[in-house]
Amino acid sequence: MSEMAMSFAALAGFVVGALAVLFYRNQIEAPSRAAAADGVETGAALPQGVASVLAVLPSSAVVLDAHDRVLRASSAARAFGLVKGDRLMAAELLALARQVRRDGEIRESEIDVAGHKFGQETTNFAVRVAPLGSYGQVLVLAEDQTERRRVEAVRRDFVANVSHELKTPVGAMSLLAETIQDAADDPEAVSRFAGRMQHEAARLNYLIQDLITLSRIQGAEPIPTPGQVSIDEAIHGAIEYCNTRASAKDIALVTGGTEGLRIWGDDDLLVTALRNLIDNAVAYSPDHTRVVVSVRPAGDSVEISVSDQGIGIPEEALERIFERFFRVDAARSRATGGTGLGLAIVKHVAAAHAGEVSVWSKEGSGSTFTLRLPAFGGTAVAVPPSIPLEAAK
């Protein structure tokens, strides 16, 4: 049993015990068989204090009477669609409640309920059902663990992907080392295989660096020591890093838009995000094209866009493009030395700056990635380059 499941079981046990004490202390009479048709409970059938305990629970809580009608339901239970009016809507929960009422045994389980949140197909609950008193009342506690399960799935996928990505260059280097050893008398072969080893070593180094960067920023925590960041200088630093690869494909890196804009954040992280966007644009663009980096003020934010004339992104892949290790074209990405982490890093850098990143793309027409970051001072105002950062406060 996971630590979270154990915590939930302990909390549920405490609540069940506390409510049982309240029921016995107040000598509960048989509950009223009338339930409000509109689903708003008055709590008349519950002893003093029970409703207060249920109200402070973070999980969904429902009290049923002897006839399976709802005496009390928390707002969370209604929000998730577990309760409508005076009825418990989840058939599995109702079956558990009846079993508990028959034999008096506490039961635990997991159920899936049709999702009530936008884009969410199902909600997974850890549930605990217990008898209350001697008049057929039953307490149902349901803890939403959908997000925890999603995080666990992402973690498993991440570990599997990291293992695979590390294994590939390490395995290649091992084979190349053996080949070099066998071809020790052939200087030309040794030189060729040594070059391939350097390529694999560089790929491994990029992957490790990206993993370190992602690990440092993925918590979306505020930047510890933010300062004024010049957008122009950040773009210049990113372009300087990407110039060699762009030149090899005869791709022009062009800048445009409003100069002198600044944000409040971390210059190294911003350069890292822009470098990944530009590098990605170059990798997926044909030779003899151009990549445009433009900046514009947007009220209290600054928008930095990176546009290319590349192959574009299929519509079905747009929702997943910022996931770690997700690749639209895995073969092309590996051929260009991509780690599959660049856009995930961009997403987390934006979050660390309390901003966001969006994408527009059409297959065959290129892509545009836009970083929207809060402007320094609350308003995007251009500062003449002659004024130093410290003086522009």
Side-chain angles (χ1 to χ4, degrees):
M1 183 181 293
S2 69
E3 181 179 346
M4 182 170 291
M6 293 175 64
S7 299
F8 174 63
L11 174 61
F14 170 77
V15 171
V16 170
L19 292 179
V21 169
L22 285 170
F23 267 74
Y24 286 117
R25 179 178 296 173
N26 289 276
Q27 298 179 341
I28 299 176
E29 301 295 332
S32 170
R33 296 184 179 182
D38 61 359
V40 179
E41 303 81 19
T42 64
L46 298 177
Q48 183 179 3
V50 172
S52 299
V53 173
L54 295 180
V56 299
L57 289 177
S59 54
S60 300
V62 181
V63 177
L64 300 177
D65 68 8
H67 303 279
D68 291 335
R69 284 178 287 202
V70 175
L71 293 178
R72 171 69 61 174
S74 66
S75 58
R78 295 192 179 279
F80 281 114
L82 296 176
V83 172
K84 286 187 179 179
D86 63 348
R87 296 175 56 203
L88 185 62
M89 303 304 296
E92 292 178 70
L93 277 181
L94 194 56
L96 279 175
R98 289 169 178 170
Q99 291 176 13
V100 169
R101 187 182 293 114
R102 282 196 300 268
D103 58 25
E105 296 290 331
I106 296 175
R107 283 182 168 81
E108 296 179 357
S109 183
E110 289 189 9
I111 66 168
D112 289 320
V113 177
H116 282 251
K117 296 180 180 179
F118 178 76
Q120 182 172 307
E121 295 182 358
T122 61
T123 303
N124 180 265
F125 291 97
V127 299
R128 186 178 178 90
V129 185
L132 285 177
S134 57
Y135 295 100
Q137 289 92 357
V138 176
L139 170 66
V140 178
L141 294 176
E143 183 74 16
D144 177 17
Q145 57 177 9
T146 308
E147 182 64 15
R148 179 176 67 83
R149 292 186 67 180
R150 186 193 69 80
V151 170
E152 288 178 351
V154 169
R155 185 182 296 113
R156 287 194 300 270
D157 290 344
F158 180 68
V159 171
N161 283 323
V162 168
S163 300
H164 174 75
E165 295 294 336
L166 289 174
K167 182 171 64 176
T168 301
V170 170
M173 291 175 67
S174 177
L175 289 174
L176 287 168
E178 292 179 9
T179 305
I180 289 176
Q181 189 174 24
D182 294 338
D185 297 331
D186 186 347
E188 183 177 343
V190 169
S191 177
R192 184 171 67 254
F193 291 128
R196 292 182 58 185
M197 284 186 70
Q198 289 180 332
H199 173 77
E200 294 296 337
R203 178 180 169 187
L204 185 61
N205 181 62
Y206 291 146
L207 177 59
I208 292 173
Q209 290 300 321
D210 280 352
L211 284 171
I212 291 172
T213 301
L214 190 59
S215 176
R216 183 163 64 96
I217 63 175
Q218 66 181 349
E221 297 176 355
I223 297 169
T225 55
Q228 278 195 77
V229 179
S230 166
I231 302 298
D232 299 336
E233 292 181 9
I235 292 175
H236 176 76
I239 287 179
E240 188 174 341
Y241 181 92
C242 300
N243 250 330
T244 300
R245 176 173 289 189
S247 298
K249 299 179 67 175
D250 191 26
I251 293 177
L253 302 182
V254 182
T255 61
T258 306
E259 297 182 352
L261 294 176
R262 304 181 180 190
I263 66 166
W264 186 253
D266 185 291
D267 54 351
D268 289 336
L269 286 181
L270 182 58
V271 170
T272 297
L274 293 173
R275 172 178 61 81
N276 277 290
L277 288 178
I278 297 171
D279 205 38
N280 198 63
V282 170
Y284 286 91
S285 293
D287 295 356
H288 318 301
T289 56
R290 67 177 188 167
V291 171
V292 179
V293 184
S294 59
V295 185
R296 76 179 189 93
D300 60 354
S301 301
V302 175
E303 290 187 351
I304 312 170
S305 298
V306 178
S307 304
D308 62 57
Q309 299 170 289
I311 59 177
I313 303 168
E315 185 176 356
E316 63 272 13
L318 288 175
E319 291 184 359
R320 300 190 59 196
I321 198 68
F322 295 103
E323 293 180 12
R324 293 171 294 187
F325 294 113
F326 178 78
R327 294 180 172 97
V328 176
D329 186 342
R332 185 187 184 102
S333 180
R334 289 193 174 93
T336 58
T339 64
L341 294 173
L343 293 180
I345 289 174
V346 173
K347 175 184 175 181
H348 287 293
V349 169
H353 285 79
E356 61 182 5
V357 59
S358 59
V359 57
W360 173 92
S361 186
K362 185 177 180 180
E363 287 188 274
S365 300
S367 305
T368 297
F369 288 85
T370 301
L371 270 173
R372 186 182 178 94
L373 306 173
F376 171 73
T379 305
V381 178
V383 177
S386 59
I387 301 177
L389 289 178
E390 293 74 12
K393 296 183 179 180

